[in-house]
């Protein structure tokens, strides 16, 4: 028996409400995070991810209350990210009920933070979130052709996305959340080139994110090397069910938890 492929709904939370846009713009309301989390738990999601989309930009800490209320009624693993800057932030989130914490911008500013967090809380708790895009015309060339971005994909960090994922593993993280900023909210399918390049460099689990539009988009992401696939838009607006995604994966020969 292999390890089951995980399907993970992602809830982008802004001021306590779930929102969704295209490439992080034109955000529209998608509901109450705790209600959506409960629905996904019942529908067979393997895990949930909460991202506080306004935290990094506005300097707000992540919404502990939402995490507490979700952890009280949902019994699948919960990853929380957005605005996580310190061990204290991670400690608060884990105490509130998160199982894992994803770190993004603050790790770019100070990579050794990842080692500190991994040593204190355990690698299995720490996820490196990588917001990657193809280097745009006129941008600083990178060996892989992909660069890391910050501020919701609006700024280049000037580092190679594949190298950064590999460095994250060296620094002690337990998982890579690989966000295709080109694909975010477009529903055009996962970026399989990006996934396969990262998979060639890391041995820890990779979660593919950005671009899911239909159930048929999931098997190619796993074939490219992802261990899990994350989506938001298609689940929030009930265009595709988690069960449909799992059935499609099972039909393609992958093990899933039903």
């Amino acid at each position: 028996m292999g390890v089951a492929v995980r399907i993970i709904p992602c809830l982008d939370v802004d001021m306590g409400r779930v929102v969704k846009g295209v490439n992080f713009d034109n955000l529209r309301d998608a509901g109450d995070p705790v209600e959506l989390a409960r629905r996904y738990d019942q529908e067979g999601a393997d895990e949930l991810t909460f991202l506080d989309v306004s935290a990094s930009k506005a300097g707000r800490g992540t919404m502990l209350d939402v995490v507490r209320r979700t952890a009280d009624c949902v019994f699948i693993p919960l990853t929380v990210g957005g605005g996580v800057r310190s061990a204290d932030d991670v400690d608060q989130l884990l105490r509130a009920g998160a199982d894992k914490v994803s770190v993004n911008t603050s790790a770019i500013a100070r990579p050794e933070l990842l080692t500190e967090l991994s040593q204190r809380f355990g690698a299995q708790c720490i996820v490196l979130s990588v917001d990657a895009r193809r280097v745009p015309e006129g941008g600083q060339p990178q060996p892989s052709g992909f660069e890391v971005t910050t501020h919701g994909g609006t700024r280049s960090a000037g580092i190679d996305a594949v190298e950064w994922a590999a460095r994250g593993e060296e620094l002690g993280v337990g998982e890579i959340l690989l966000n295709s900023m080109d694909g975010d909210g477009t529903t055009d399918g996962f970026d399989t080139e990006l996934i396969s390049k990262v998979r060639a460099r890391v041995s820890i689990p990779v979660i593919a994110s950005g671009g899911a539009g239909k159930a048929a988009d999931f098997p190619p992401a796993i074939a490219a090397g992802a261990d899990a696939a994350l989506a938001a838009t298609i689940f929030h607006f009930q265009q595709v069910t988690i069960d449909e995604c799992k059935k499609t994966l099972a039909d393609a020969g992958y093990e899933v938890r039903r």
Side-chain angles (χ1 to χ4, degrees):
M1 295 283 276
V3 176
V5 171
R6 291 170 287 150
I7 300 291
I8 306 173
C10 179
L11 292 83
D12 293 334
V13 181
D14 187 12
M15 305 298 285
R17 296 290 290 178
V18 176
V19 294
K20 196 58 208 159
V22 177
N23 304 120
F24 283 82
D25 275 339
N26 305 315
L27 297 177
R28 54 182 172 153
D29 190 280
D32 175 67
V34 183
E35 287 306 310
L36 272 174
R38 191 183 277 130
R39 190 184 99 200
Y40 291 138
D41 190 17
Q42 289 164 353
E43 287 177 6
D46 296 298
E47 296 185 11
L48 290 170
T49 293
F50 278 178
L51 291 177
D52 187 347
V53 294
S54 43
S56 286
K57 281 182 186 168
R60 270 191 301 278
T62 315
M63 47 333 166
L64 294 167
D65 176 56
V66 170
V67 175
R68 273 190 208 102
R69 289 191 295 128
T70 304
D72 281 345
C73 65
V74 170
F75 301 99
I76 51 178
L78 176 62
T79 300
V80 185
V84 175
R85 295 180 184 83
S86 67
D88 282 349
D89 291 341
V90 174
D91 190 52
Q92 283 188 316
L93 286 166
L94 295 175
R95 285 175 191 277
D99 298 278
K100 296 187 265 190
V101 175
S102 82
V103 187
N104 188 333
T105 312
S106 55
I108 296 167
R110 199 169 73 81
E112 57 273 21
L113 175 65
L114 295 174
T115 306
E116 291 164 17
L117 297 178
S118 174
Q119 286 174 350
R120 177 162 164 190
F121 301 105
Q124 77 288 345
C125 286
I126 308 303
V127 179
L128 175 61
S129 180
V130 180
D131 290 345
R133 70 175 175 194
R134 283 178 169 72
V135 176
E137 195 101 358
Q140 182 183 334
Q142 298 295 347
S144 71
F146 292 92
E147 65 179 3
V148 176
T149 65
T150 60
H151 300 78
T154 57
R155 286 190 213 169
S156 171
I159 52 179
D160 186 280
V162 177
E163 295 292 332
W164 178 231
R167 180 130 189 252
E169 180 175 26
E170 286 166 14
L171 291 166
V173 304
E175 202 162 45
I176 303 290
L177 174 54
L178 185 61
N179 310 301
S180 164
M181 304 314 287
D182 302 315
D184 177 70
T186 62
T187 68
D188 292 334
F190 293 98
D191 192 328
T192 53
E193 184 191 351
L194 174 62
I195 296 164
S196 59
K197 284 188 170 181
V198 171
R199 170 44 70 218
R201 292 293 308 279
V202 305
S203 58
I204 54 175
V206 174
I207 302 168
S209 166
K214 54 191 182 298
D217 290 335
F218 286 75
I222 306 307
D227 301 87
L230 176 147
T233 310
I234 58 170
F235 294 146
H236 299 340
F237 300 108
Q238 295 179 304
Q239 296 150 346
V240 180
T241 67
I242 290 164
D243 199 55
E244 283 173 73
C245 294
K246 290 196 171 185
K247 185 178 185 311
T248 305
L249 284 162
D251 290 346
Y254 296 105
E255 190 177 322
V256 291
R257 291 188 195 92
R258 299 302 285 271

